[in-house]
PDB file of all heavy atoms in Angstrom:
ATOM      1  N   GLN A 318     -19.931   1.442 -24.095  1.00  0.00           N
ATOM      2  CA  GLN A 318     -20.737   1.688 -23.002  1.00  0.00           C
ATOM      3  C   GLN A 318     -21.839   0.483 -22.741  1.00  0.00           C
ATOM      4  O   GLN A 318     -21.955   0.072 -21.616  1.00  0.00           O
ATOM      5  CB  GLN A 318     -21.669   2.952 -23.251  1.00  0.00           C
ATOM      6  CG  GLN A 318     -22.287   3.329 -21.846  1.00  0.00           C
ATOM      7  CD  GLN A 318     -23.605   4.234 -22.152  1.00  0.00           C
ATOM      8  OE1 GLN A 318     -24.048   4.234 -23.270  1.00  0.00           O
ATOM      9  NE2 GLN A 318     -24.169   4.854 -21.066  1.00  0.00           N
ATOM     10  N   ARG A 319     -22.324  -0.058 -23.855  1.00  0.00           N
ATOM     11  CA  ARG A 319     -23.187  -1.174 -23.790  1.00  0.00           C
ATOM     12  C   ARG A 319     -22.535  -2.393 -23.159  1.00  0.00           C
ATOM     13  O   ARG A 319     -23.106  -3.187 -22.498  1.00  0.00           O
ATOM     14  CB  ARG A 319     -23.711  -1.527 -25.166  1.00  0.00           C
ATOM     15  CG  ARG A 319     -25.023  -2.315 -25.147  1.00  0.00           C
ATOM     16  CD  ARG A 319     -25.578  -2.591 -26.474  1.00  0.00           C
ATOM     17  NE  ARG A 319     -25.557  -1.296 -27.294  1.00  0.00           N
ATOM     18  CZ  ARG A 319     -25.001  -1.198 -28.550  1.00  0.00           C
ATOM     19  NH1 ARG A 319     -24.273  -2.145 -29.144  1.00  0.00           N
ATOM     20  NH2 ARG A 319     -25.087   0.000 -29.165  1.00  0.00           N
ATOM     21  N   ALA A 320     -21.166  -2.527 -23.412  1.00  0.00           N
ATOM     22  CA  ALA A 320     -20.357  -3.571 -22.827  1.00  0.00           C
ATOM     23  C   ALA A 320     -19.963  -3.303 -21.278  1.00  0.00           C
ATOM     24  O   ALA A 320     -19.193  -3.966 -20.735  1.00  0.00           O
ATOM     25  CB  ALA A 320     -19.182  -3.868 -23.644  1.00  0.00           C
ATOM     26  N   GLY A 321     -20.412  -2.148 -20.864  1.00  0.00           N
ATOM     27  CA  GLY A 321     -20.077  -1.832 -19.344  1.00  0.00           C
ATOM     28  C   GLY A 321     -18.602  -1.209 -19.279  1.00  0.00           C
ATOM     29  O   GLY A 321     -18.137  -1.017 -18.186  1.00  0.00           O
ATOM     30  N   ALA A 322     -18.157  -0.841 -20.464  1.00  0.00           N
ATOM     31  CA  ALA A 322     -16.774  -0.095 -20.404  1.00  0.00           C
ATOM     32  C   ALA A 322     -16.974   1.464 -20.562  1.00  0.00           C
ATOM     33  O   ALA A 322     -18.027   1.883 -20.855  1.00  0.00           O
ATOM     34  CB  ALA A 322     -15.978  -0.687 -21.576  1.00  0.00           C
ATOM     35  N   VAL A 323     -15.904   2.150 -20.149  1.00  0.00           N
ATOM     36  CA  VAL A 323     -16.018   3.598 -20.047  1.00  0.00           C
ATOM     37  C   VAL A 323     -15.256   4.266 -21.243  1.00  0.00           C
ATOM     38  O   VAL A 323     -13.946   3.975 -21.316  1.00  0.00           O
ATOM     39  CB  VAL A 323     -15.410   4.128 -18.718  1.00  0.00           C
ATOM     40  CG1 VAL A 323     -15.522   5.589 -18.614  1.00  0.00           C
ATOM     41  CG2 VAL A 323     -15.968   3.372 -17.528  1.00  0.00           C
ATOM     42  N   PRO A 324     -15.884   4.945 -22.094  1.00  0.00           N
ATOM     43  CA  PRO A 324     -15.175   5.746 -23.147  1.00  0.00           C
ATOM     44  C   PRO A 324     -14.272   6.673 -22.479  1.00  0.00           C
ATOM     45  O   PRO A 324     -14.869   7.530 -21.624  1.00  0.00           O
ATOM     46  CB  PRO A 324     -16.296   6.328 -23.951  1.00  0.00           C
ATOM     47  CG  PRO A 324     -17.526   5.531 -23.825  1.00  0.00           C
ATOM     48  CD  PRO A 324     -17.318   5.054 -22.207  1.00  0.00           C
ATOM     49  N   TYR A 325     -12.957   6.907 -22.826  1.00  0.00           N
ATOM     50  CA  TYR A 325     -12.066   7.679 -22.016  1.00  0.00           C
ATOM     51  C   TYR A 325     -11.303   8.763 -22.723  1.00  0.00           C
ATOM     52  O   TYR A 325     -11.475   9.883 -22.607  1.00  0.00           O
ATOM     53  CB  TYR A 325     -11.118   6.607 -21.306  1.00  0.00           C
ATOM     54  CG  TYR A 325     -10.216   7.268 -20.203  1.00  0.00           C
ATOM     55  CD1 TYR A 325     -10.702   8.046 -19.164  1.00  0.00           C
ATOM     56  CD2 TYR A 325      -8.877   7.033 -20.304  1.00  0.00           C
ATOM     57  CE1 TYR A 325      -9.841   8.547 -18.227  1.00  0.00           C
ATOM     58  CE2 TYR A 325      -8.027   7.561 -19.345  1.00  0.00           C
ATOM     59  CZ  TYR A 325      -8.458   8.257 -18.366  1.00  0.00           C
ATOM     60  OH  TYR A 325      -7.555   8.826 -17.490  1.00  0.00           O
ATOM     61  N   TYR A 326     -10.493   8.360 -23.755  1.00  0.00           N
ATOM     62  CA  TYR A 326      -9.819   9.285 -24.586  1.00  0.00           C
ATOM     63  C   TYR A 326      -9.830   9.032 -26.087  1.00  0.00           C
ATOM     64  O   TYR A 326      -9.810   7.888 -26.481  1.00  0.00           O
ATOM     65  CB  TYR A 326      -8.332   9.251 -24.288  1.00  0.00           C
ATOM     66  CG  TYR A 326      -7.771   9.980 -22.989  1.00  0.00           C
ATOM     67  CD1 TYR A 326      -6.925   9.403 -22.173  1.00  0.00           C
ATOM     68  CD2 TYR A 326      -8.184  11.225 -22.761  1.00  0.00           C
ATOM     69  CE1 TYR A 326      -6.389  10.050 -21.093  1.00  0.00           C
ATOM     70  CE2 TYR A 326      -7.646  11.997 -21.645  1.00  0.00           C
ATOM     71  CZ  TYR A 326      -6.839  11.358 -20.884  1.00  0.00           C
ATOM     72  OH  TYR A 326      -6.378  12.023 -19.717  1.00  0.00           O
ATOM     73  N   MET A 327     -10.014  10.125 -26.837  1.00  0.00           N
ATOM     74  CA  MET A 327      -9.745  10.129 -28.293  1.00  0.00           C
ATOM     75  C   MET A 327      -8.471  10.820 -28.415  1.00  0.00           C
ATOM     76  O   MET A 327      -8.333  12.052 -28.153  1.00  0.00           O
ATOM     77  CB  MET A 327     -10.812  10.799 -29.170  1.00  0.00           C
ATOM     78  CG  MET A 327     -10.461  10.850 -30.633  1.00  0.00           C
ATOM     79  SD  MET A 327     -11.287  12.221 -31.475  1.00  0.00           S
ATOM     80  CE  MET A 327     -12.746  11.227 -32.128  1.00  0.00           C
ATOM     81  N   PHE A 328      -7.291  10.298 -28.881  1.00  0.00           N
ATOM     82  CA  PHE A 328      -6.105  10.813 -28.975  1.00  0.00           C
ATOM     83  C   PHE A 328      -5.801  11.369 -30.360  1.00  0.00           C
ATOM     84  O   PHE A 328      -6.407  10.848 -31.425  1.00  0.00           O
ATOM     85  CB  PHE A 328      -4.904   9.852 -28.797  1.00  0.00           C
ATOM     86  CG  PHE A 328      -4.794   9.641 -27.255  1.00  0.00           C
ATOM     87  CD1 PHE A 328      -4.944   8.340 -26.761  1.00  0.00           C
ATOM     88  CD2 PHE A 328      -4.597  10.586 -26.351  1.00  0.00           C
ATOM     89  CE1 PHE A 328      -4.874   7.939 -25.533  1.00  0.00           C
ATOM     90  CE2 PHE A 328      -4.418  10.246 -24.949  1.00  0.00           C
ATOM     91  CZ  PHE A 328      -4.610   8.962 -24.515  1.00  0.00           C
ATOM     92  N   VAL A 329      -4.928  12.311 -30.464  1.00  0.00           N
ATOM     93  CA  VAL A 329      -4.400  12.805 -31.804  1.00  0.00           C
ATOM     94  C   VAL A 329      -3.174  11.956 -32.093  1.00  0.00           C
ATOM     95  O   VAL A 329      -2.291  11.728 -31.126  1.00  0.00           O
ATOM     96  CB  VAL A 329      -4.091  14.265 -31.697  1.00  0.00           C
ATOM     97  CG1 VAL A 329      -3.469  14.753 -33.148  1.00  0.00           C
ATOM     98  CG2 VAL A 329      -5.301  15.001 -31.454  1.00  0.00           C
ATOM     99  N   ALA A 330      -2.953  11.504 -33.352  1.00  0.00           N
ATOM    100  CA  ALA A 330      -1.771  10.630 -33.657  1.00  0.00           C
ATOM    101  C   ALA A 330      -0.517  11.401 -33.426  1.00  0.00           C
ATOM    102  O   ALA A 330      -0.387  12.634 -33.812  1.00  0.00           O
ATOM    103  CB  ALA A 330      -1.900  10.060 -35.038  1.00  0.00           C
ATOM    104  N   ARG A 331       0.436  10.770 -32.929  1.00  0.00           N
ATOM    105  CA  ARG A 331       1.882  11.406 -32.741  1.00  0.00           C
ATOM    106  C   ARG A 331       2.601  11.386 -34.112  1.00  0.00           C
ATOM    107  O   ARG A 331       2.434  10.663 -35.003  1.00  0.00           O
ATOM    108  CB  ARG A 331       2.577  10.611 -31.676  1.00  0.00           C
ATOM    109  CG  ARG A 331       1.941  10.591 -30.396  1.00  0.00           C
ATOM    110  CD  ARG A 331       2.919   9.838 -29.632  1.00  0.00           C
ATOM    111  NE  ARG A 331       2.159   9.431 -28.342  1.00  0.00           N
ATOM    112  CZ  ARG A 331       2.654   9.388 -27.077  1.00  0.00           C
ATOM    113  NH1 ARG A 331       4.001   9.517 -26.992  1.00  0.00           N
ATOM    114  NH2 ARG A 331       2.021   9.050 -26.130  1.00  0.00           N
ATOM    115  N   ASP A 332       3.642  12.319 -34.028  1.00  0.00           N
ATOM    116  CA  ASP A 332       4.407  12.495 -35.222  1.00  0.00           C
ATOM    117  C   ASP A 332       5.512  11.397 -35.207  1.00  0.00           C
ATOM    118  O   ASP A 332       6.617  11.651 -34.817  1.00  0.00           O
ATOM    119  CB  ASP A 332       5.110  13.802 -35.139  1.00  0.00           C
ATOM    120  CG  ASP A 332       5.999  14.055 -36.308  1.00  0.00           C
ATOM    121  OD1 ASP A 332       5.870  13.299 -37.409  1.00  0.00           O
ATOM    122  OD2 ASP A 332       6.765  15.047 -36.323  1.00  0.00           O
ATOM    123  N   THR A 333       5.197  10.209 -35.855  1.00  0.00           N
ATOM    124  CA  THR A 333       6.132   9.245 -35.928  1.00  0.00           C
ATOM    125  C   THR A 333       5.707   8.217 -37.073  1.00  0.00           C
ATOM    126  O   THR A 333       4.511   8.231 -37.429  1.00  0.00           O
ATOM    127  CB  THR A 333       6.337   8.397 -34.667  1.00  0.00           C
ATOM    128  OG1 THR A 333       7.329   7.379 -34.816  1.00  0.00           O
ATOM    129  CG2 THR A 333       4.959   7.738 -34.227  1.00  0.00           C
ATOM    130  N   GLY A 334       6.680   7.531 -37.499  1.00  0.00           N
ATOM    131  CA  GLY A 334       6.302   6.415 -38.606  1.00  0.00           C
ATOM    132  C   GLY A 334       5.679   7.169 -39.780  1.00  0.00           C
ATOM    133  O   GLY A 334       6.028   8.271 -40.177  1.00  0.00           O
ATOM    134  N   PRO A 335       4.709   6.479 -40.370  1.00  0.00           N
ATOM    135  CA  PRO A 335       4.048   6.936 -41.642  1.00  0.00           C
ATOM    136  C   PRO A 335       2.973   8.067 -41.240  1.00  0.00           C
ATOM    137  O   PRO A 335       1.843   7.990 -41.494  1.00  0.00           O
ATOM    138  CB  PRO A 335       3.346   5.787 -42.223  1.00  0.00           C
ATOM    139  CG  PRO A 335       3.238   4.768 -41.202  1.00  0.00           C
ATOM    140  CD  PRO A 335       4.136   5.067 -40.082  1.00  0.00           C
ATOM    141  N   ARG A 336       3.402   9.014 -40.457  1.00  0.00           N
ATOM    142  CA  ARG A 336       2.426  10.026 -40.001  1.00  0.00           C
ATOM    143  C   ARG A 336       1.627  10.775 -41.085  1.00  0.00           C
ATOM    144  O   ARG A 336       0.490  11.023 -41.032  1.00  0.00           O
ATOM    145  CB  ARG A 336       3.182  11.025 -39.016  1.00  0.00           C
ATOM    146  CG  ARG A 336       2.335  12.209 -38.714  1.00  0.00           C
ATOM    147  CD  ARG A 336       2.417  12.364 -37.250  1.00  0.00           C
ATOM    148  NE  ARG A 336       1.267  13.330 -36.737  1.00  0.00           N
ATOM    149  CZ  ARG A 336       1.368  14.584 -36.682  1.00  0.00           C
ATOM    150  NH1 ARG A 336       2.377  15.270 -37.187  1.00  0.00           N
ATOM    151  NH2 ARG A 336       0.435  15.284 -36.243  1.00  0.00           N
ATOM    152  N   ASP A 337       2.362  11.180 -42.123  1.00  0.00           N
ATOM    153  CA  ASP A 337       1.652  11.981 -43.144  1.00  0.00           C
ATOM    154  C   ASP A 337       0.487  11.137 -43.729  1.00  0.00           C
ATOM    155  O   ASP A 337      -0.472  11.681 -44.145  1.00  0.00           O
ATOM    156  CB  ASP A 337       2.587  12.388 -44.190  1.00  0.00           C
ATOM    157  CG  ASP A 337       3.549  13.441 -43.674  1.00  0.00           C
ATOM    158  OD1 ASP A 337       3.117  14.140 -42.667  1.00  0.00           O
ATOM    159  OD2 ASP A 337       4.573  13.696 -44.324  1.00  0.00           O
ATOM    160  N   TYR A 338       0.661   9.892 -43.745  1.00  0.00           N
ATOM    161  CA  TYR A 338      -0.371   9.057 -44.321  1.00  0.00           C
ATOM    162  C   TYR A 338      -1.583   9.023 -43.429  1.00  0.00           C
ATOM    163  O   TYR A 338      -2.772   9.055 -43.930  1.00  0.00           O
ATOM    164  CB  TYR A 338       0.240   7.449 -44.386  1.00  0.00           C
ATOM    165  CG  TYR A 338      -0.740   6.637 -45.114  1.00  0.00           C
ATOM    166  CD1 TYR A 338      -0.742   6.534 -46.475  1.00  0.00           C
ATOM    167  CD2 TYR A 338      -1.491   5.676 -44.363  1.00  0.00           C
ATOM    168  CE1 TYR A 338      -1.532   5.707 -47.199  1.00  0.00           C
ATOM    169  CE2 TYR A 338      -2.395   4.871 -45.107  1.00  0.00           C
ATOM    170  CZ  TYR A 338      -2.402   4.797 -46.482  1.00  0.00           C
ATOM    171  OH  TYR A 338      -3.164   3.909 -47.139  1.00  0.00           O
ATOM    172  N   PHE A 339      -1.424   9.121 -42.178  1.00  0.00           N
ATOM    173  CA  PHE A 339      -2.500   8.991 -41.169  1.00  0.00           C
ATOM    174  C   PHE A 339      -2.982  10.311 -40.661  1.00  0.00           C
ATOM    175  O   PHE A 339      -4.170  10.291 -40.044  1.00  0.00           O
ATOM    176  CB  PHE A 339      -2.087   8.120 -39.982  1.00  0.00           C
ATOM    177  CG  PHE A 339      -1.897   6.646 -40.371  1.00  0.00           C
ATOM    178  CD1 PHE A 339      -0.715   5.984 -40.079  1.00  0.00           C
ATOM    179  CD2 PHE A 339      -2.943   5.982 -40.837  1.00  0.00           C
ATOM    180  CE1 PHE A 339      -0.572   4.731 -40.375  1.00  0.00           C
ATOM    181  CE2 PHE A 339      -2.793   4.620 -41.096  1.00  0.00           C
ATOM    182  CZ  PHE A 339      -1.592   3.980 -40.912  1.00  0.00           C
ATOM    183  N   LYS A 340      -2.305  11.328 -40.672  1.00  0.00           N
ATOM    184  CA  LYS A 340      -2.531  12.471 -39.885  1.00  0.00           C
ATOM    185  C   LYS A 340      -3.912  13.132 -40.273  1.00  0.00           C
ATOM    186  O   LYS A 340      -4.239  13.230 -41.412  1.00  0.00           O
ATOM    187  CB  LYS A 340      -1.456  13.426 -39.741  1.00  0.00           C
ATOM    188  CG  LYS A 340      -1.351  14.527 -40.743  1.00  0.00           C
ATOM    189  CD  LYS A 340      -0.204  15.384 -40.504  1.00  0.00           C
ATOM    190  CE  LYS A 340       0.189  16.295 -41.667  1.00  0.00           C
ATOM    191  NZ  LYS A 340       1.313  16.940 -41.426  1.00  0.00           N
ATOM    192  N   ILE A 341      -4.539  13.699 -39.111  1.00  0.00           N
ATOM    193  CA  ILE A 341      -5.760  14.392 -39.262  1.00  0.00           C
ATOM    194  C   ILE A 341      -5.567  15.737 -38.761  1.00  0.00           C
ATOM    195  O   ILE A 341      -5.094  15.960 -37.611  1.00  0.00           O
ATOM    196  CB  ILE A 341      -6.843  13.573 -38.483  1.00  0.00           C
ATOM    197  CG1 ILE A 341      -7.060  12.162 -38.791  1.00  0.00           C
ATOM    198  CG2 ILE A 341      -8.126  14.400 -38.347  1.00  0.00           C
ATOM    199  CD1 ILE A 341      -7.774  12.084 -40.022  1.00  0.00           C
ATOM    200  N   PRO A 342      -5.992  16.838 -39.432  1.00  0.00           N
ATOM    201  CA  PRO A 342      -5.714  18.202 -38.834  1.00  0.00           C
ATOM    202  C   PRO A 342      -6.565  18.200 -37.545  1.00  0.00           C
ATOM    203  O   PRO A 342      -7.671  17.643 -37.346  1.00  0.00           O
ATOM    204  CB  PRO A 342      -6.366  19.086 -39.963  1.00  0.00           C
ATOM    205  CG  PRO A 342      -6.352  18.318 -41.108  1.00  0.00           C
ATOM    206  CD  PRO A 342      -6.468  16.842 -40.831  1.00  0.00           C
ATOM    207  N   LEU A 343      -6.149  19.031 -36.495  1.00  0.00           N
ATOM    208  CA  LEU A 343      -6.870  19.155 -35.338  1.00  0.00           C
ATOM    209  C   LEU A 343      -8.178  19.671 -35.610  1.00  0.00           C
ATOM    210  O   LEU A 343      -9.187  19.321 -34.870  1.00  0.00           O
ATOM    211  CB  LEU A 343      -5.984  20.216 -34.408  1.00  0.00           C
ATOM    212  CG  LEU A 343      -4.745  19.837 -33.996  1.00  0.00           C
ATOM    213  CD1 LEU A 343      -3.974  20.979 -33.267  1.00  0.00           C
ATOM    214  CD2 LEU A 343      -4.841  18.537 -33.147  1.00  0.00           C
ATOM    215  N   ALA A 344      -8.539  20.536 -36.531  1.00  0.00           N
ATOM    216  CA  ALA A 344      -9.775  21.128 -36.784  1.00  0.00           C
ATOM    217  C   ALA A 344     -10.768  19.934 -37.179  1.00  0.00           C
ATOM    218  O   ALA A 344     -11.889  19.912 -36.696  1.00  0.00           O
ATOM    219  CB  ALA A 344      -9.722  22.060 -38.027  1.00  0.00           C
ATOM    220  N   ARG A 345     -10.264  19.063 -37.964  1.00  0.00           N
ATOM    221  CA  ARG A 345     -11.089  17.899 -38.376  1.00  0.00           C
ATOM    222  C   ARG A 345     -11.363  16.924 -37.239  1.00  0.00           C
ATOM    223  O   ARG A 345     -12.420  16.446 -36.970  1.00  0.00           O
ATOM    224  CB  ARG A 345     -10.310  17.173 -39.566  1.00  0.00           C
ATOM    225  CG  ARG A 345     -10.872  15.994 -40.096  1.00  0.00           C
ATOM    226  CD  ARG A 345     -11.527  16.332 -41.626  1.00  0.00           C
ATOM    227  NE  ARG A 345     -12.553  15.173 -41.815  1.00  0.00           N
ATOM    228  CZ  ARG A 345     -12.173  13.943 -41.928  1.00  0.00           C
ATOM    229  NH1 ARG A 345     -10.886  13.590 -41.997  1.00  0.00           N
ATOM    230  NH2 ARG A 345     -13.080  12.985 -42.067  1.00  0.00           N
ATOM    231  N   ALA A 346     -10.284  16.683 -36.386  1.00  0.00           N
ATOM    232  CA  ALA A 346     -10.399  15.852 -35.373  1.00  0.00           C
ATOM    233  C   ALA A 346     -11.445  16.382 -34.337  1.00  0.00           C
ATOM    234  O   ALA A 346     -12.218  15.588 -33.749  1.00  0.00           O
ATOM    235  CB  ALA A 346      -9.032  15.644 -34.622  1.00  0.00           C
ATOM    236  N   ALA A 347     -11.316  17.666 -34.070  1.00  0.00           N
ATOM    237  CA  ALA A 347     -12.241  18.214 -33.165  1.00  0.00           C
ATOM    238  C   ALA A 347     -13.801  18.203 -33.723  1.00  0.00           C
ATOM    239  O   ALA A 347     -14.698  17.967 -32.960  1.00  0.00           O
ATOM    240  CB  ALA A 347     -11.917  19.740 -32.902  1.00  0.00           C
ATOM    241  N   ALA A 348     -13.936  18.324 -35.039  1.00  0.00           N
ATOM    242  CA  ALA A 348     -15.299  18.180 -35.566  1.00  0.00           C
ATOM    243  C   ALA A 348     -15.831  16.676 -35.463  1.00  0.00           C
ATOM    244  O   ALA A 348     -16.893  16.503 -35.171  1.00  0.00           O
ATOM    245  CB  ALA A 348     -15.274  18.776 -37.111  1.00  0.00           C
ATOM    246  N   ILE A 349     -14.979  15.763 -35.820  1.00  0.00           N
ATOM    247  CA  ILE A 349     -15.291  14.383 -35.612  1.00  0.00           C
ATOM    248  C   ILE A 349     -15.661  14.186 -34.234  1.00  0.00           C
ATOM    249  O   ILE A 349     -16.731  13.421 -33.918  1.00  0.00           O
ATOM    250  CB  ILE A 349     -14.157  13.400 -36.132  1.00  0.00           C
ATOM    251  CG1 ILE A 349     -13.807  13.512 -37.596  1.00  0.00           C
ATOM    252  CG2 ILE A 349     -14.450  12.023 -35.629  1.00  0.00           C
ATOM    253  CD1 ILE A 349     -12.582  12.955 -38.049  1.00  0.00           C
TER     254      ILE A 349
END
Side-chain angles (χ1 to χ4, degrees):
Q318 194 207 10
R319 207 175 307 125
V323 184
Y325 188 53
Y326 277 137
M327 173 204 267
F328 288 116
V329 179
R331 299 180 193 214
D332 182 12
T333 183
R336 172 130 191 273
D337 288 341
Y338 187 81
F339 286 125
K340 87 173 167 192
I341 299 288
L343 295 173
R345 178 106 201 290
I349 291 170

